[in-house]
Amino acid sequence: MNFCSQGNYDNMTNPNEPDIVAFCCHYSAYAWSQDLQNLPRLGFPENVRLEILPCSGRISIIRLLKAFEQGADGIYVAGCKDDTCHNVRGSRIAKKRVDYVKNVFDQLNIEPERIEMFMISREPNRGFIEAAKEMTMRIKKLGPSPLKGK
Amino acid sequence: MIVGQRKPIQEIIGMLKGIKNILILGCGGCATVCSAGGEKEVEILASIIRIDRKKKGGPVETKEKTLARQCDTEYLEELKDEVDKYDAVLSMACGVGVNFLADMYPKTIILPALNTSFMGVSEEQGVWSERCAGCGNCVLDKTGGLCPVARCSKHLLNGPCGGSQNGRCEINPDIACVWQLIYDRLKGLNQLEKLQEIFPMKDWSSSLHGGPRKIVREDLTL
């Protein structure tokens, strides 16, 4: 399992797999955070690099943009379900910031699907793993970031 | 404060065509308060410009800086030793800052990243609205502190017009009829008699109609 040190999103993963940076709130990742090293065994794609935030609402637009600028093929934020966010509206705030970056990508003729917000139940379930798998499949279809090789 | 918003990204990218070394200059005054051109927004715009250039395979150097204000000589002077290093300065201040930069650095290309919108207030997080039109001849003592010049769609001084419906403006139902607000406020203050006074024709020469304005305070000049 790979972790980003804050602000450093240089690829450390297999170059043949899409490089995906995931910003996950402590609560939606909590069920797995006790045993993160075992995630690959449970089907969590190894190409997804995790950054755990105290709350998804802590994500900033610039961190999302910099992750992309520094080489990520895809980015996602995983937070609590809208109505059960531990910090009341953290995941709603995170979604607005993801939407802002989607709009920026659209204006730059970059596929907005390269960034996504997932709202995941805080109860132990596979949503945390499924979001990573869905994003990996999506980015595989889209191909490498248009910034690669430029 | 002066409220502005960032121009569409493609418009900014268009004006930076062929420019390789850019100073993106934020303003710590109103542009920061209205979340349009402060330190945070400078960082975001610089990243967007770099992403665009990287995608197109074009080189770009971006320097990010935010001055306390861009409407005072003392802060703009901070640039005097470095401004020649850049192909252009992209100002994230209001139009005042852009103008003053251009006045002060005649050999440097100065570009605006914001559209300056109005003088207004922050109603709630993320919502701003106009309150003053800067007409240069304030009538607020007669209208309960609410401005018909800035807040009436027709700038009527003897309102309301016939289009005031249920307290809303006929031009834009999203906004309140300011003459209804004036009436309600003066009634609450027991000052309805103020509405008996008819405003004469307004002298607009103190507004933009009189040309660019200037104030000289002899008590302050050195």
Side-chain angles (χ1 to χ4, degrees), chain A residues 3-144:
Chain A
F3 290 92
C4 305
S5 58
Q6 189 171 330
N8 179 10
Y9 309 108
D10 291 339
N11 192 357
M12 300 174 286
T13 56
N14 180 349
N16 297 318
E17 289 289 316
D19 176 24
I20 296 173
V21 177
F23 297 95
C24 301
C25 92
H26 167 75
Y27 294 94
S28 56
Y30 183 77
W32 309 99
S33 62
Q34 312 303 306
D35 195 16
L36 285 171
Q37 297 305 324
N38 256 334
L39 277 176
R41 195 177 53 77
L42 296 164
F44 194 91
E46 293 203 47
N47 54 296
V48 177
R49 293 183 284 142
L50 279 178
E51 185 167 326
I52 308 288
L53 304 169
C55 171
S56 62
R58 184 69 187 86
I59 192 66
S60 62
I61 290 165
I62 191 64
R63 276 172 89 179
L64 296 170
L65 286 171
K66 283 208 166 154
F68 190 70
E69 201 185 333
Q70 290 173 11
D73 300 304
I75 304 154
Y76 70 90
V77 179
C80 306
K81 289 259 186 214
D82 191 12
D83 54 348
T84 57
C85 176
H86 179 81
N87 294 308
V88 186
R89 51 186 166 198
S91 52
R92 218 175 300 158
I93 290 169
K95 184 174 184 314
K96 282 173 185 267
R97 292 177 184 163
V98 167
D99 287 346
Y100 181 102
V101 178
K102 271 183 180 288
N103 181 265
V104 167
F105 281 6
D106 194 36
Q107 291 189 63
L108 296 177
N109 294 318
I110 295 168
E111 303 94 338
E113 299 84 5
R114 289 189 182 276
I115 182 164
E116 200 53 80
M117 175 77 202
F118 291 93
M119 292 182 175
I120 298 165
S121 165
R122 288 200 276 142
E123 302 301 318
N125 65 70
R126 288 187 58 83
F128 184 66
I129 291 170
E130 294 308 320
K133 285 169 82 174
E134 184 189 325
M135 210 53 197
T136 300
M137 288 298 292
R138 185 192 294 188
I139 301 300
K140 272 185 179 171
K141 276 186 195 160
L142 289 173

Side-chain angles (χ1 to χ4, degrees), chain A residues 69 100 107-109 150, chain B residues 6 10 47 50 54-55:
Chain A
E69 201 185 333
Y100 181 102
Q107 291 189 63
L108 296 177
N109 294 318
K150 296 284 177 69
Chain B
R6 197 194 62 214
Q10 282 304 327
S47 179
R50 288 193 300 267
K54 207 168 177 185
K55 179 172 171 277

Side-chain angles (χ1 to χ4, degrees), chain B residues 22-86:
Chain B
I22 310 161
L23 171 63
I24 301 164
L25 190 65
C27 177
C30 308
T32 291
V33 181
C34 70
S35 301
E39 205 173 330
K40 238 188 214 178
E41 292 76 27
V42 164
E43 211 181 356
I44 290 169
L45 183 57
S47 179
I48 291 171
I49 291 166
R50 288 193 300 267
I51 288 172
D52 178 67
R53 288 293 174 93
K54 207 168 177 185
K55 179 172 171 277
K56 292 172 178 163
V60 70
E61 287 284 326
T62 55
K63 172 84 191 290
E64 301 160 27
K65 192 167 193 156
T66 298
L67 302 177
R69 285 195 297 275
Q70 291 187 29
C71 51
D72 274 310
T73 315
E74 63 191 285
Y75 301 115
L76 292 193
E77 273 178 350
E78 289 176 30
L79 300 177
K80 69 173 189 288
D81 294 331
E82 61 173 307
V83 76
D84 292 341
K85 294 180 197 161
Y86 308 106

